[in-house]
Each structure stands twice: as structure tokens, then as C-alpha cells.
Amino acid sequence: MQKAISKYWPVFVLPTLLAFIIGFIWPFIWGIYLSFQRFTTVSKTTFVGLQNYINVFSDETFLHAFSFTAAFTVVSTVLINVCAFAIALVLTRGIRGTNLFRTVYFMPNLIGGILLGYIWQILLNGVLANLQRPLLALDAKAGFVGLVILMCWQQIGYMMIIYVAGLQSVPGDLIEAAKIDGANDREILFKIKIPMVMPSVTICTFLTLTNSFKLFDQNVALTAGEPANASEMLALNIYNTFYGRSGAQWKGIGQAKAAVFFLIVVVISLIQLKFTRSKEVQQ
């Protein structure tokens, strides 16, 4: 079996590798190239150097979208992970119906982002109308809260599953030894369980952080960036720049925004991974 694998592994690797190169590597390289160009079609381009990047950081809509996205990411990442961990703690105490609760909490993650956005738009606008408050498209603060609620509702169940797996991997004899030594539930939580599930914290924080920064379809469906782009996030801002503005210069600026967006997500993710991994302990 091992000889067959060592002999024929290119047959299995090559299709996936080609798909990855065609679907990701080549478009990424081509996109970086176009970020230095002025163009309307990719066959007719004019090199403009760093001008597109200069225009990116002078675009107030991009800067506002960045601040809005950063605030949303911080709030949603904290809420999702705290709530998911709290639910996981409850569901690992051996209560009745644990499997049912896990299934119910996980189900929202199976709903597509566009559909989820429109469902919550109807729900939240109905609540706001009954409270005689401006609708989501007329109030950026309500749009921000709505996006946080939507993101939490969709992601908490998924992160809960990861935290449940992490908590179940904590050695039971370690907890029993702590109880014999007189540790209470709070001390066991903060001195044993949380340090031991830091690998799960690393994974969940990475996923929620990157998912929040890259949020697009829910933003389109829930608020569409209204009012006046006040609830527009980075991914939607890039889309609107590339497809929603007329003029040859905006295509290149849209590509430059995408490149900057990529760098922002990579840098923030690497910093988060380094920080959380430094807190992990060996089991």
C-alpha cells in the first residue's frame, strides 16, 4: 500500500494542486499586478505605480469602512467566544439533552449568509418599527448592532463545538486532584480549564476574527451599507469601488483596496495567533 502511494501520489495531488493554482494563486498574482494599473478591461492596462494605493488612503469611505469593520470585529469576536465558551461549559456538565442542544445551537451555521441577512433584516426591522425607531437602512448604530447580533447568532454554535471538544480533552484526574487540594469551581475554571483549552481559544479567535473582517454577504443583505455607506464594511466597500463606481481609475483603486485588505487580515491574524499560542500549555 505504501509503495503504491509513493508511486502514484502525483496522480492524486496534481488535480487539487492545479485547481488551487488556477482558482487562487494565479488570480491573486494577477490582482496584485492590476493594483498598480489603471484599466477598464484587464487586456488594456496603464501602469500608474503607487498612485492607486495613495488614493486608497485618501478615500474617506475606505477609512470609515475600516474603522467600522475594526469595531465590529472586536465586539463580535469577544461576544462570540465568551458566549460559545460559556455554553460549552454548561453542555459539558452532563446535563440532560446535551446532544439536542448542541445540534440546535449549531444549526444557524448551516444557513447561507445572504438568506440569513434577509431573515434578520425582516426580524430587526419589525422590532424597530414596533419600537418606533428608525429602520436599519436609516440608522448606522442599529445596523452595527444588527450585524453583531446576526454574526453572533450564526457563529456561536460553531465555536461552541470546538470549545466542547477542548473541554472534553481536559484530563479528569487533573480536575479531581485540584478538588482534593481544595480548589473551588472558579479556581478550576481559571487555573486549569481555560489554560488547557487555549488551543481551542486560538482556533476560535482566529476563525471569528477573520470571518468578521471578511464579512460581505450578511452586510449586503442586512444593511447594504446604508445609510450613506455608514454601515459599509471593508469587503462591501471594495466591491462597491470596483463595480459601483464609473471611471477607469476606480478599477485599479478597487484592486489596491483588495491588496491592502489582504495585508490587514494577514497581519492581524498573525499577531493574534502569536499572542494566543504563547498562552497555550502542553498537556
Side-chain angles (χ1 to χ4, degrees), residues 71-94:
F72 168 80
T73 300
V74 171
V75 174
S76 61
T77 299
V78 172
L79 286 177
I80 289 171
N81 284 279
V82 170
C83 293
F85 185 76
I87 295 172
L89 276 176
V90 174
L91 295 182
T92 51
R93 291 181 178 273

Side-chain angles (χ1 to χ4, degrees), residues 2 20 41 63 67 69 82 93 143 155 185 188 192 232 280:
Q2 292 296 328
F20 183 71
T41 63
L63 298 178
S67 62
T69 304
V82 170
R93 291 181 178 273
Q155 295 289 318
D185 290 341
I188 291 174
I192 297 177
E232 184 181 66
E280 295 180 8

Side-chain angles (χ1 to χ4, degrees), residues 94-127:
I95 62 174
R96 274 185 162 186
T98 296
N99 292 332
L100 175 62
F101 286 124
R102 291 180 187 177
T103 303
V104 171
Y105 283 125
F106 182 78
M107 286 178 64
N109 190 71
L110 304 177
I111 304 175
I114 288 288
L115 178 60
L116 194 64
Y118 284 122
I119 291 172
W120 275 98
Q121 183 195 66
I122 295 171
L123 293 173
L124 293 174
N125 279 337
V127 172

Side-chain angles (χ1 to χ4, degrees), residues 70-256:
F72 168 80
T73 300
V74 171
V75 174
S76 61
T77 299
V78 172
L79 286 177
I80 289 171
N81 284 279
V82 170
C83 293
F85 185 76
I87 295 172
L89 276 176
V90 174
L91 295 182
T92 51
R93 291 181 178 273
I95 62 174
R96 274 185 162 186
T98 296
N99 292 332
L100 175 62
F101 286 124
R102 291 180 187 177
T103 303
V104 171
Y105 283 125
F106 182 78
M107 286 178 64
N109 190 71
L110 304 177
I111 304 175
I114 288 288
L115 178 60
L116 194 64
Y118 284 122
I119 291 172
W120 275 98
Q121 183 195 66
I122 295 171
L123 293 173
L124 293 174
N125 279 337
V127 172
L128 292 171
N130 288 329
L131 295 176
Q132 298 182 344
R133 299 290 301 275
L135 302 182
L136 294 173
L138 302 174
D139 187 352
K141 291 182 179 179
F144 180 88
V145 174
L147 285 168
V148 170
I149 293 173
L150 186 156
M151 191 68 174
C152 289
W153 191 78
Q154 184 181 31
Q155 295 289 318
I156 284 175
Y158 185 85
M159 303 307 158
M160 174 207 68
I161 296 298
I162 299 175
Y163 282 125
V164 166
L167 288 168
Q168 289 178 337
S169 68
V170 177
D173 55 354
L174 186 62
I175 296 176
E176 290 179 7
K179 290 181 178 179
I180 293 172
D181 289 338
N184 55 37
D185 290 341
R186 184 177 180 276
E187 290 172 334
I188 291 174
L189 174 61
F190 287 98
K191 299 296 184 180
I192 297 177
K193 289 185 177 181
I194 292 179
M196 295 296 284
V197 300
M198 279 307 297
S200 298
V201 174
T202 298
I203 295 170
C204 290
T205 305
F206 174 79
L207 290 175
T208 51
L209 190 149
T210 53
N211 288 341
S212 297
F213 249 102
K214 297 185 298 181
L215 196 70
F216 173 74
D217 42 2
Q218 292 93 329
N219 189 201
V220 172
L222 191 69
T223 68
E226 299 296 337
N229 300 324
S231 63
E232 184 181 66
M233 299 182 69
L234 278 175
L236 181 57
N237 179 263
I238 294 168
Y239 175 86
N240 287 335
T241 300
F242 196 94
Y243 294 103
R245 296 186 181 185
S246 59
Q249 74 276 13
W250 292 110
K251 302 293 185 182
I253 294 173
Q255 281 296 146

Side-chain angles (χ1 to χ4, degrees), residues 35 48-59 63 253 256 260:
S35 69
V48 294
L50 296 175
Q51 187 59 48
N52 287 334
Y53 289 90
I54 295 172
N55 291 336
V56 167
F57 292 102
S58 61
D59 186 349
L63 298 178
I253 294 173
V260 172

